[in-house]
Amino acid sequence: MKADIRIAWILARGSERREWWRLSLTLLGALLATGFGLAAVTIAAVPGQMSIPYAHGLLNQPGERSGVVLALVLLLIPVLGFLGQCARIGAVHRHRRMAGMRLAGASPAQVRRIAAVESGFACLAGSTTGFGAFAVLLAVVGYLPDLRAWAGFAAVVLAVPVAAGLVSARALRTVLAAPLDHVRRTGPDSQRRAALGFAFAVVLIAVSALLLLFPARRGAAPIVLLLLALVLLTGMGAVWAAKASAAFMGRRLTLRAKRPAVLIAASRLAQDPWAAARTHAALLLATVVGVGFVGVRGVLLAELRGPGHPPENMAFYTTGIDLAGSAVLIALAISLCGLAVGAAESLATRRRGLAAQAAAGVPHRVLAGATLLETALPLAPALLLAGAGGTVVHLAYAGIVNNGFVPLLPLLVPLAVYAACLLAAATSLPLLRRVTQPSELRFT
C-alpha cells in the first residue's frame, strides 16, 4: 500500500496541463463537502438554548439546529456523487498511464487503487483549503468553538479525502485497464451492483442522520420518517426508471430509428443502460426533494398566512423555508454539475469511436444531437416519476395540515429541471469538437 501511495503522489504531482481541470473539479467537490461538514459540526456543537444573532432565531433552539444539521449532512450525498463522476472521467482520461502500469506488472485492482488515492490527494488539498477558509470565517465573526468542535473539524478534514477515496474506488470498480492501452467497462451486473450500492449508501446516510438528530421520543419523528421513506423510495424508483427506459428505448429505437442522431444515441443506450441511472441518481433524488419542497412550502405559507392565528415572528418561519430552499437549489446545482461531468466522461471514453465516425463523414451536428439525446431520452420518464413522487409527498403533507390548499407550482419543477439537464449536457459539446479531431485516430 505504501508503494501505491508513493506512485499516486508522483502521478498527482506530475499531472499534465490538460489534467488540471479534473483535479480542480475534484478539489472543488472536496471543498464543498468540507464546508458542509464543518458547518454541521459547528452548529451541532452549540450547547443547549442560545441566543444567536443570525437567521432570525432559527439557530437558538436545539430542535431547529438539528434540522439545519440534517440538511447539511444530506447535502453530502450529491457531493459524493459528483466526486465519483470526477474519479471516473479522470481514470479513463489517464488510460495510457494505466496501461503502462499494467505492463509494469500492476494488477487491475492496484491500478484502480492508485487512481483512487490520487483523487484522495486532490481532496486533501480541497479539505485543507476549506478548513483554512472556514477558520478565517470563524475569526471574522468572532466565534471560538470548544475543544469538541475542533476535534470534529479535524475529523471532517481527514474524513473527506478518505470518503472520496472510497467513493472513487467504488466508482472505478467497473473500469478495467488492459496492458495494451485499452480501457473498457465491465458488464451490466457490475453496473447494477454499483447503482444499488449507491442507493444503499443514500438510505444509510439519510436514515442514520435522521435517527441521530430526531430521536424516536419526539412526536414529529414518525411523520418525518414517513416523508423521508417516500422520498427515498421514489428516488430509487426514478433511478430504476432511468435504467429501464434507457434499455427499452435503446432496443426499440435501434431497430426503428430513421434519423442518424437517434440511431447513434439508441445504440449507446442499449449498450450501457445503467450509465444513465448512475449519472442521474443524485439528480433524480434532488428532483423528488425539490418537487416536494415547493409543494410543502406553498401549503405551509398558506397555513401561516391564513385566517387563523398568524405567528408573531413570521421571519422565523420564512427564514427557515428560505434556507431549506437554498439547500435544495444547492443540491440541484451540484447534481447538474455531476451530470455535466458524466456527459464529458462519456465523450472521453468514446473519443476514438467518435473520431472514427467524424472521419467517416458523420456531421458534427449529428454527433452533437446524439449526445443530447443520450441525456434527454432516459431522463424524461425518470423525471416524470420523480415529479409524481414529490407530488405525493406534498399532497400527504397537505392532507396532514388539512387547509384545503393544493399548489400547482410543483408541476413546473420537473420541466425546469429537464431544461436545466439539457443545458448541463450541452456544456460537453465543446469537448465533442475536440475529441473528434483526426489526431485521436492515432490511438485506435
Side-chain angles (χ1 to χ4, degrees), residues 172-232:
L172 296 175
R173 286 187 62 185
T174 57
V175 178
L176 297 180
L180 298 179
D181 193 15
H182 175 67
V183 174
R184 64 180 179 88
R185 303 283 187 180
T186 55
D189 292 337
S190 297
Q191 299 282 4
R192 187 179 298 110
R193 288 196 298 268
L196 292 177
F198 178 79
F200 177 77
V202 170
V203 174
L204 184 62
I205 293 175
V207 174
S208 300
L210 184 65
L211 294 178
L212 179 63
L213 298 171
F214 296 94
R217 65 176 182 272
R218 299 187 182 181
I223 298 176
V224 177
L225 280 172
L226 175 62
L227 295 178
L228 181 61
L230 288 175
V231 169
L232 294 177

Side-chain angles (χ1 to χ4, degrees), residues 10-11 15 68 84 111 127 130 147 149 177-178 205 214 253 285 306 309 437:
I10 294 173
L11 293 177
S15 298
V68 176
V111 170
S127 63
L147 293 178
I205 293 175
F214 296 94
L253 293 178
L285 183 61
H309 301 284
Q437 295 295 324

